[in-house]
Amino acid sequence: MQPELNTINIAPTSTHTYSVIWLHGLGADGHDFESIVPSLNLAAEANIHFIFPNAPIQSVTINNFMKMRAWYDILAISLEEHTVDIAGIYQSAELVNQLIQKEIDKGILAKNIFLAGFSQGGVIALHAGLRYPQKLAGILALSTYLPTITQLSDEASILSKTTPIFMAHGILDAVVAIEAGKSTFDKLSTLGYSIEWHDYLMEHSVCAEEIGHISVFMNSIFV
């Protein structure tokens, strides 16, 4: 078993009912989305344990092999396609599964555990969430896509079909092309997933309008 991820945590201030595991993008860290919590205006915020893992540090091929926090290596990049280390995606998803299990061990039901991720983190959230054997509360996939979608037909969990998914992307994204995100959405829709799509006039980032829509989505789940 791989060593478990270290995490930034916001503990619930009331009864712990829900858990949110939020995965950062390439080169960032667990603090990246920590400050978004108050902006989400979640009615159940006091009951939520927020977990912001730090990705392992590894060299990233496209960044001149510089070492940084990354959920997997990116070997090459073009407008049409990212060539990525698929095995690394599976390894990081297993680390996320360990975090889910830690929450379950505390008595939190899988259906009350929510996965969120931005860019690389969104890849892991989708990959892990769609393969998790139990229904999760929801999956938030921001400015991302799913390189392992072709393997999904053999690996998807049946119960994940009922997990609500929110995908969002910037129309001006020059890091992960919106076409890649939309293609993932279209394929998941065709496969029968409960999924919604939003796009915004922004680059590879998060905007206020998007945060408002995320708030509505999460509040519909944490009731």
Side-chain angles (χ1 to χ4, degrees):
M1 182 177 287
Q2 302 177 75
E4 69 179 44
L5 296 166
N6 59 60
T7 59
I8 311 302
N9 295 274
I10 301 176
T13 56
S14 188
T15 305
H16 181 191
T17 310
Y18 306 107
S19 298
V20 173
I21 300 170
W22 200 309
L23 310 172
H24 64 75
L26 176 66
D29 62 24
H31 290 291
D32 202 35
F33 281 91
E34 186 182 11
S35 63
I36 202 173
V37 173
S39 304
L40 295 172
N41 296 311
L42 299 177
E45 183 179 332
N47 307 108
I48 301 172
H49 178 204
F50 286 91
I51 304 150
F52 301 95
N54 290 304
I57 294 173
Q58 60 182 295
S59 63
V60 176
T61 302
I62 60 159
N63 288 345
N64 295 318
F65 300 96
M66 282 177 56
K67 290 197 169 184
M68 62 188 64
R69 294 200 180 278
W71 295 109
Y72 53 88
D73 191 16
I74 302 176
L75 307 171
I77 190 167
S78 70
L79 192 60
E80 296 81 20
E81 186 179 18
H82 290 195
T83 304
V84 303
D85 173 24
I86 296 294
I89 293 174
Y90 282 86
Q91 289 164 7
S92 285
E94 188 50 45
L95 292 172
V96 171
N97 287 342
Q98 290 179 28
L99 294 178
I100 293 172
Q101 188 58 48
K102 279 184 74 172
E103 297 306 290
I104 290 173
D105 291 345
K106 295 175 188 175
I108 305 305
L109 300 172
K111 68 177 184 179
N112 289 336
I113 299 173
F114 184 98
L115 293 184
F118 176 82
S119 197
Q120 267 206 349
V123 169
I124 304 304
L126 281 171
H127 178 96
L130 298 179
R131 289 163 173 78
Y132 197 75
Q134 300 180 61
K135 180 188 184 297
L136 297 175
I139 302 171
L140 183 65
L142 309 178
S143 302
T144 194
Y145 73 119
L146 187 58
T148 56
I149 198 160
T150 54
Q151 294 92 326
L152 197 59
S153 57
D154 294 325
E155 299 171 355
S157 109
I158 294 169
L159 293 179
S160 71
K161 285 282 179 75
T162 58
T163 299
I165 306 166
F166 180 109
M167 286 193 75
H169 219 106
I171 293 166
L172 307 176
D173 196 327
V175 177
V176 179
I178 189 170
E179 290 82 3
K182 191 63 165 59
S183 174
T184 293
F185 166 78
D186 290 341
K187 288 173 184 173
L188 292 177
S189 296
T190 300
L191 290 170
Y193 286 91
S194 173
I195 187 166
E196 59 186 81
W197 173 265
H198 301 262
D199 51 50
Y200 307 93
L201 190 61
M202 65 177 185
E203 298 181 351
H204 193 63
S205 59
V206 177
C207 67
E209 183 186 8
E210 179 182 22
I211 291 170
H213 291 150
I214 292 168
S215 173
V216 171
F217 178 71
M218 294 181 76
N219 274 315
S220 73
I221 290 168
F222 299 138
V223 292

